[in-house]
Amino acid sequence: MGNLTWLYAKAALTGFTRKGSTLPASSRELRVEVDREHLAAYNRVCGFGVRDELPVTYPHVLAFPTQIELMTGPGFPFPLPGLVHVANRITRVRPLRADEPLDMAVRLENLRPHEKGRQFDVVSAVSAGGEQVWVDVSTYLRIGGGSGSGSAENERGLEEPPEPTGVWRVGGDVGRRYAEVSGDRNPIHLHPLTARAFGFPRAIAHGMWSKARCVAAFEGRLPGAFTVDVRFKAPILLPGKVDFSASPTADGWRFALWSTKPHLEGVISR
């Protein structure tokens, strides 16, 4: 993850030159192996128990440097600063073990209109032993130039706060701790001063930290194969306090993070 600092600097310096209406057709393939110390650090930050099975959200951090490489590479039409991570869907076919070599492929696809601008997907897939076992679809929004008639799928959700099943205090250092294990050192997550430069009153939690923290609350209750799909709403200011709610559905769970406004809404389905 050492080249991510350079990639963020490159994005800041070259973002004003980026324009276009298509995504590059490039993709990346790589072999990754799990560092157990890194896995243990990730588990501690996100609330998972330390064990050999990978949390369903963990391969996302293994894919993240390659995702950023594609989004700062030739032909990518948008500046990286200002992209909003609005949704993430992960499907796991079976549990993954820390001792498995994993073949990963990352690509960009499905650039489409949104009422606030344009959105696209970053798709990361993991295979083990020749079988695809995990797929992650992260949806990003580039605000500006929207037609007002595009998809509003990420705006829909629960109309009233659900009854909380837990109250979580989120420490002011969560952004820095998650940045250390994920490589995502976007300045909006690291310090109030750098967050204010981007319009936030304080640093904000990473969306993928909030998703992982929610999934950790279900540890020991999830099947081997499932999909966990979330929509990121308002950011969580650090430090902060959020209500967590979870309720069973016909084929899994519905969950949410709230304070005075919704921060995340998601479903787990078999």
Side-chain angles (χ1 to χ4, degrees):
M1 297 181 184
N3 68 336
L4 278 176
T5 301
W6 155 244
L7 289 176
Y8 274 117
K10 174 185 175 183
L13 292 171
T14 64
F16 68 93
T17 68
R18 294 185 176 273
K19 57 185 67 177
S21 58
T22 61
L23 295 174
S26 57
S27 61
R28 298 286 187 276
E29 297 182 0
L30 63 156
R31 168 67 64 91
V32 295
E33 296 186 0
V34 174
D35 180 305
R36 290 176 184 271
E37 290 187 5
H38 180 262
L39 172 62
Y42 175 89
N43 286 340
R44 286 192 292 269
V45 171
C46 298
F48 294 101
V50 178
R51 51 181 176 170
D52 283 342
E53 183 180 309
L54 304 185
V56 70
T57 50
Y58 180 73
H60 178 91
V61 302
L62 300 180
F64 185 73
T66 305
Q67 295 175 354
I68 296 299
E69 182 183 351
L70 288 177
M71 289 191 284
T72 55
F76 186 71
F78 309 123
L80 188 62
L83 289 179
V84 182
H85 193 185
V86 294
N88 176 267
R89 183 178 73 253
I90 296 174
T91 298
R92 186 179 79 175
V93 176
R94 65 162 175 81
L96 304 180
R97 303 187 312 274
D99 61 353
E100 290 185 276
L102 305 175
D103 294 310
M104 183 171 287
V106 182
R107 67 185 186 275
L108 309 173
E109 65 178 33
N110 197 17
L111 180 62
R112 58 199 186 274
H114 184 278
E115 65 178 5
K116 294 184 178 180
R118 287 181 287 175
Q119 61 183 358
F120 64 94
D121 297 328
V122 184
V123 181
S124 306
V126 168
S127 297
E131 173 195 15
Q132 184 169 283
V133 291
W134 182 94
V135 179
D136 172 293
V137 181
S138 283
T139 301
Y140 288 87
L141 171 65
R142 171 62 178 174
I143 296 175
S147 64
S149 59
S151 169
E153 60 184 312
N154 296 307
E155 304 300 324
R156 295 194 298 266
L158 303 175
E159 295 181 357
E160 297 294 335
E163 188 69 24
T165 53
V167 178
W168 298 344
R169 296 190 179 275
V170 186
D173 63 345
V174 160
R176 293 186 292 277
R177 293 174 62 210
Y178 187 79
E180 185 65 27
V181 298
S182 68
D184 185 353
R185 293 182 174 85
N186 188 321
I188 62 178
H189 302 302
L190 303 181
H191 192 275
L193 288 177
T194 53
R196 281 199 287 271
F198 291 87
F200 296 98
R202 304 198 300 273
I204 64 173
H206 296 73
M208 287 304 295
W209 173 84
S210 62
K211 175 172 182 172
R213 181 64 185 87
C214 288
V215 175
F218 295 98
E219 197 166 30
R221 293 184 286 172
L222 298 178
F226 64 92
T227 294
V228 53
D229 193 355
V230 303
R231 298 291 181 267
F232 301 116
K233 304 291 186 176
I236 299 172
L237 297 176
L238 302 175
K241 184 175 72 172
V242 293
D243 292 337
F244 171 73
S245 67
S247 57
T249 64
D251 65 345
W253 296 87
R254 180 178 296 275
F255 60 94
L257 288 179
W258 284 74
S259 57
T260 57
K261 59 184 70 175
H263 298 293
L264 175 153
E265 294 171 357
V267 293
I268 297 172
S269 56
R270 298 179 181 86

